[in-house]
Amino acid sequence: MPLQYDLNLKDPDGTYAAIIDAHGDLTDAESAALNARLVLLLANHIGDAEVLRKAIEVARTSLGKAR
Amino acid sequence: MAHAKDRVFPHRRSADHGQPGPAHHPIVIVGAGPVGLVAALDLASKGHRTVVIDKKSNLSDGSRAICWAKRSLEIMDRLGAGQALLDKGITWKTGKVFFDTRQVYEFDLLPEAGHRMPAFINLQQYYFEHYGVEAAQQTGLIDLRWQEEVSGLTMTGDGVLLDIATPEGPYRLLADWVIAADGARSTLRRLMGLEFEGRVFQDQFLICDIKMKMDRPVERWFWFDPPFNRGRSALLHKQADDVWRLDFQVGNEADRDEEVRPENAARRVRSMLGEDIDFTFEWISLYRFQSRRLQRFRHGRVLFAGDAAHQVSPFGARGGNSGVQDADNLVWKLDLVIKGQAPDGLLDSYDAERAYAADENLLHTTRSTDFIAPKSAASRMFRDGVLALAETEPFARRLVNSGRLSVATSYDQSPLNGMDGFARGEAGAVRPGAAALDAPLDGGWLLQQIGGGFAGVWFSRERHVPEEVARGQAGLAQREVPVKALVVSQETACARYGAAGAPAYYLFRPDQHVAARWHGFDQGAVEAALDRAIAKS
């Protein structure tokens, strides 16, 4: 299944809030560490290397760091 | 005889000394380390005389390479030194990984039953060389010249002129072929002005090989960020004779002379193993490493092998083991070219196949290094995330990378590979290009039967061999490059080669890699694959 560009969340605002809440009591360093763990867990869940490659590309492009 | 590590080899003035012109030898091997010795032994097994020169007067200084992979042991077994290595080496299969104070991961190399050789043994490099030298002396074909060094090299039209420096003055050799197995600081590479391409790492590691009686399981222990080496890594591994390999990551800026002082090294040893231990040092060495290789391993009649051709980080035991495979790949090709049975172009496939292997080894060892010694804050963040998750989440354990241990490279896309008559993915472990898998036969082993020449194996559970197959195999055995005819019907072997149901025919190269395979037998197709495997078509 290719990377989803259209909305795929049943509760978009709730999902966004859950991510923010997870960082609520964390320092910047802890936040970064949490994000790393989330990426690893979600990458494993997705499994598809092509979807991840595409997601990395889109994310870097939005940072102005396309390559 | 002196202990292997204390053996001293005197310089002996050879008959080539003091001749008016250079002495001619078909093959000169530079370097009597594991790679040079394997090359010499393999050439001797095919009837070739060699001169092997080495600038040292002793075997390997210190333990150096200590992990010998199954494929290296199989190669040494073919050359007559396998059992000695097995008897002396420490067989192991379990590795444990610790993060901070907790064990986060344990792996078993899962030694499948029915192989003559284990997945790994640990044995000091000087023992590997010691048994190699013993075997070399028994051949009567290997002229080992210690304390001699190449000081000049000139390519002639059809050979290589070497200036040799010795304690008793210089002499010259004219070689048809030169194998450069003279290690990471290769003299030949320097004399030929060849550059290494790749990465150089700044990380420093301290090896302390210590001798002590210690009642511990024979396991590889690897620590990330342990209390005794905060923010860095450490390794503990057993060798023969109660020698233990301790490897500490130390700071990039650590002072070399300070680190290797015994009292400072002893402090590190005690911090890992306890204040009350009783030990002696075997070897202390501080190293940095490089991940790089020559662009080409063949330069006319000079063939580079082992560390002289490529260097990798030590994580994964891919230095010594890949060098042994280089020699294994090179020698049968050189043999056929020298005998005029294969075109010179066959030697180009040495470069193609072993450069491919080097790239595979560089990729794995570089990834391991980046996991062990992260190069950025983000890299460390993910590394620590993997280690923390590994304790509870099975998926993360496979991401823990303390070295991906050496296995034989499959030469996928090699120009020598012939037909794959199997469906995609069917018995993929033994696809064309892959190294043969061992299997028990009645009273022996498959790899011993395949031996060191081309071999054609009819795998069939049905013991009756069809007339057409028997006739075809007899014909192939009579060719200029003969194909040894084998029939194998044992269950494990047939299962491993995808012949549990319908029979299969495999053509193996002299280095025991699969050249081509089919369900069924077609002599014409086998002959075509054979021509391709020796670069005749």
Side-chain angles (χ1 to χ4, degrees):
Chain A
M1 192 166 63
L3 182 66
Q4 292 276 337
Y5 291 96
D6 298 324
L7 183 67
N8 190 38
L9 301 167
K10 288 193 179 66
D11 176 11
D13 293 345
T15 303
Y16 183 82
I19 294 169
I20 303 305
D21 285 352
H23 291 266
D25 56 344
L26 302 185
T27 64
D28 286 354
E30 286 169 337
S31 270
L34 179 75
N35 280 338
R37 286 157 169 79
L38 281 174
V39 167
L40 291 164
L41 283 158
L42 295 173
N44 180 63
H45 181 81
I46 292 162
D48 186 330
E50 183 53 32
V51 170
L52 284 169
R53 194 193 60 74
K54 192 71 195 167
I56 290 167
E57 183 187 311
V58 171
R60 281 191 62 93
T61 301
S62 83
L63 260 179
K65 301 272 188 183
R67 61 182 174 192
Chain B
M1 188 192 295
H3 188 278
K5 75 180 160 67
D6 300 323
R7 288 182 75 178
V8 176
F9 299 92
H11 179 253
R12 290 206 177 84
R13 189 183 162 92
S14 79
D16 296 341
H17 233 109
Q19 299 293 322
H24 174 257
H25 291 276
I27 311 163
V28 171
I29 297 171
V30 183
V35 180
L37 287 167
V38 169
L41 286 169
D42 205 358
L43 283 160
S45 79
K46 298 176 190 338
H48 296 281
R49 290 185 173 278
T50 53
V51 170
V52 182
I53 72 167
D54 195 293
K55 63 184 172 189
K56 296 194 289 27
S57 59
N58 56 309
L59 302 176
S60 158
D61 301 312
S63 319
R64 300 168 85 91
I66 61 161
C67 290
W68 302 99
K70 183 163 169 294
R71 188 64 201 140
S72 298
L73 298 173
E74 290 167 349
I75 292 165
M76 286 299 268
D77 200 33
R78 181 167 65 75
L79 301 176
Q83 191 60 47
L85 294 170
L86 210 49
D87 291 344
K88 188 69 190 174
I90 303 285
T91 301
W92 65 278
K93 63 188 180 71
T94 303
K96 288 181 178 164
V97 176
F98 301 86
F99 180 38
D100 193 355
T101 56
R102 301 177 304 281
Q103 180 180 325
V104 294
Y105 177 48
E106 174 174 337
F107 63 84
D108 187 330
L109 295 171
L110 288 177
E112 191 181 43
H115 294 254
R116 168 157 158 69
M117 290 297 169
F120 270 94
I121 65 163
N122 282 4
L123 187 63
Q124 296 91 313
Q125 182 170 327
Y126 50 72
Y127 272 121
F128 188 100
E129 295 173 355
H130 170 73
Y131 296 123
V133 168
E134 294 296 292
Q137 284 166 344
Q138 280 171 22
T139 65
L141 295 172
I142 300 171
D143 182 352
L144 276 163
R145 301 183 181 179
W146 301 94
Q147 302 185 44
E148 299 199 354
E149 185 174 13
V150 177
S151 60
L153 180 150
T154 313
M155 300 273 204
T156 66
D158 51 2
V160 185
L161 188 62
L162 298 170
D163 294 305
I164 309 292
T166 84
E168 296 172 72
Y171 70 98
R172 289 188 300 162
L173 289 173
L174 182 60
D176 297 338
W177 300 95
V178 173
I179 298 176
D182 53 348
R185 297 188 186 88
S186 169
T187 302
L188 292 192
R189 207 175 62 224
R190 179 175 52 78
L191 289 172
M192 292 175 71
L194 301 172
E195 298 289 334
F196 261 2
E197 297 172 5
R199 283 170 73 181
V200 178
F201 290 84
Q202 294 308 308
D203 312 279
Q204 297 193 104
F205 292 81
L206 179 75
I207 286 178
C208 299
D209 278 351
I210 64 168
K211 187 158 183 150
M212 72 176 291
K213 294 260 187 229
M214 195 156 50
D215 188 22
R216 295 178 70 105
V218 180
E219 296 171 344
R220 177 185 192 265
W221 283 29
F222 195 99
W223 288 267
F224 291 99
D225 196 14
F228 61 82
N229 200 22
R230 266 298 164 220
R232 304 198 175 110
S233 68
L235 170 80
L236 176 66
H237 219 175
K238 189 177 189 185
Q239 307 170 45
D241 301 340
D242 291 309
V243 173
W244 297 78
R245 161 68 50 89
L246 282 60
D247 195 337
F248 301 88
Q249 186 185 5
V250 300
N252 293 5
E253 309 306 323
D255 183 90
R256 167 172 291 268
D257 297 334
E258 283 297 308
E259 286 292 339
V260 300
R261 283 161 66 117
E263 58 270 33
N264 291 337
R267 206 169 300 127
R268 288 191 181 275
V269 171
R270 292 186 191 285
S271 72
M272 178 193 278
L273 298 173
E275 289 301 321
D276 54 344
I277 58 165
D278 186 21
F279 70 95
T280 54
F281 279 115
E282 272 252 320
W283 188 49
I284 304 174
S285 174
L286 190 79
Y287 67 94
R288 279 198 166 116
F289 52 78
Q290 304 168 348
S291 288
R292 45 188 200 168
R293 69 167 174 92
L294 285 174
Q295 192 180 16
R296 288 184 294 126
F297 296 176
R298 179 184 184 189
H299 290 262
R301 289 171 169 269
V302 181
L303 299 139
F304 285 83
D307 281 359
H310 45 75
Q311 283 170 259
V312 295
S313 87
F315 304 107
R318 288 168 181 267
N321 288 303
S322 69
V324 169
Q325 288 175 57
D326 286 346
D328 185 47
N329 185 288
L330 171 60
V331 165
W332 68 271
K333 296 171 180 176
L334 190 55
D335 168 58
L336 291 178
V337 170
I338 288 173
K339 287 176 180 160
Q341 294 174 348
D344 177 270
L346 180 59
L347 286 168
D348 292 334
S349 75
Y350 165 68
D351 177 73
E353 293 184 336
R354 293 312 298 171
Y356 175 82
D359 285 342
E360 182 176 278
N361 290 318
L362 285 164
L363 179 70
H364 283 297
T365 52
T366 301
R367 285 175 173 173
S368 299
T369 304
D370 285 339
F371 194 89
I372 291 163
K375 297 289 173 291
S376 68
S379 178
R380 177 171 290 269
M381 195 86 72
F382 277 99
R383 197 285 299 272
D384 289 351
V386 165
L387 290 169
L389 288 169
E391 210 177 346
T392 51
E393 312 306 321
F395 88 88
R397 288 168 201 158
R398 180 57 183 78
L399 300 178
V400 173
N401 191 342
S402 67
R404 299 282 179 236
L405 293 164
S406 171
V407 291
T409 296
S410 292
Y411 304 129
D412 295 323
Q413 285 130 42
S414 164
L416 306 187
N417 288 354
M419 172 92 176
D420 187 0
F422 279 46
R424 193 180 170 81
E426 187 188 359
V430 281
R431 63 192 181 276
L437 291 178
D438 203 4
L441 303 182
D442 297 338
W445 297 94
L446 177 61
L447 294 190
Q448 291 173 337
Q449 284 297 311
I450 290 173
F454 276 96
V457 184
W458 177 252
F459 290 98
S460 171
R461 294 291 288 140
E462 181 67 49
R463 280 178 186 273
H464 172 74
V465 181
E467 175 60 28
E468 178 212 354
V469 177
R471 212 173 32 238
Q473 284 201 302
L476 289 164
Q478 298 302 317
R479 285 175 57 104
E480 184 189 25
V481 176
V483 180
K484 182 180 181 183
L486 294 168
V487 175
V488 168
S489 59
Q490 282 79 0
E491 188 176 1
T492 306
C494 287
R496 249 162 226 179
Y497 285 86
Y505 181 86
Y506 278 68
L507 178 65
F508 293 97
R509 316 183 331 181
D511 58 5
Q512 302 184 333
H513 282 247
V514 176
R517 61 178 181 172
W518 302 264
H519 288 301
F521 180 83
D522 173 346
Q523 189 176 343
V526 178
E527 286 173 347
L530 188 61
D531 281 347
R532 190 176 172 89
I534 59 174
K536 266 194 173 172
S537 67

